[in-house]
Amino acid sequence: MKTLILVVITAMCTLRCRGQAPQGSIASGIISGTVRGAGGSIIDSDVVSASGAPASVSLHRNARTSATAAIGPDGSFRFPPLVDGTYQLCTQTPSGWLSPCLWNAGAPTRVTLSPSQTSANVNIVLQKGAFVNVRVDDPGQFLSAADSKSVAGLLIGVSTDSFVFHTAALLSEDTSGKTYRVLIPFDRSIGIVVVSPSFQLTNASGSLLAASHGNAIPVLVPSGRPPPTVTLRVTGKTNP
């Protein structure tokens, strides 16, 4: 009799448990869409990323709360399954398109996945930016000497709308200096930040830049106009 009762209880539990989702199960929400440039131009390369705050604090150890997806030849993208939650979509497009997560703060694309919305299709529209070159003339080759000793001493970039500092990329270098490049929005005055505690720098007019804190050089690029080149000059090293 005891054996029979145990068998019945086990069977009832099995039937009941089959109708319940296991705690911490993996959700299967899907986010897909397209990336276009302003004016409808197709962006057929680079990457879209999704990062989110999950709706539940109890997650399966394999639950996915962030992902990246390549942009296809037709401008489309599709993320792998994500758990329920709200996701911010960002683009990584070094070809001159501004990331909405860096510029125009508050305007990046956000998507929410939930039991009632298990999929979402979004269209991301990007604005074109202006590549500004920053030429650092170094006739005394102070930068080259510092590089050989693994001393940085020079930081160039911009502070974006999302308060993330975007460092300028080294575009080229030669015996007389280096050229950096940074992407900024059109039709806005943006400060090109230059910090150099190790070197004495002057701007295009010959004025000495402050060494201990950042110098913001305003640059405005009107739409349809070629961007200017910001010219700096290394005149020596600062006293230790």
Side-chain angles (χ1 to χ4, degrees), residues 34 45-46 50 82 100 128 130 143 184 209 214 224 240:
T34 58
S45 62
D46 304 322
L82 297 162
K128 198 72 174 179
L143 295 178
I184 67 172
L209 300 184

Side-chain angles (χ1 to χ4, degrees), residues 149-194:
K149 298 178 182 179
S150 300
V151 178
L154 177 62
L155 179 65
I156 300 174
V158 292
S159 180
T160 65
D161 291 338
S162 57
F163 303 104
V164 174
F165 188 80
H166 187 59
T167 304
L170 179 62
L171 184 63
S172 64
E173 59 182 314
D174 50 55
T175 56
S176 60
K178 298 184 178 184
T179 300
Y180 298 84
R181 186 174 72 172
V182 66
L183 185 67
I184 67 172
F186 282 101
D187 302 314
R188 287 180 55 186
S189 180
I190 302 296
I192 306 295
V193 177
V194 181

Side-chain angles (χ1 to χ4, degrees), residues 51-125:
S51 58
S56 173
V57 296
S58 177
L59 295 175
H60 190 281
R61 61 187 179 88
N62 292 327
R64 190 190 300 272
T65 59
S66 63
T68 59
I71 301 174
D74 60 349
S76 65
F77 65 89
R78 181 184 177 90
F79 291 110
L82 297 162
V83 300
D84 292 346
T86 300
Y87 293 85
Q88 177 172 287
L89 307 187
C90 299
T91 58
Q92 302 172 24
T93 52
S95 53
W97 298 98
L98 296 169
S99 170
C101 293
L102 294 179
W103 299 103
N104 298 322
T109 301
R110 290 185 173 88
V111 177
T112 298
L113 297 174
S114 66
S116 61
Q117 181 175 325
T118 58
S119 64
N121 189 273
V122 297
N123 296 315
I124 301 175
V125 179

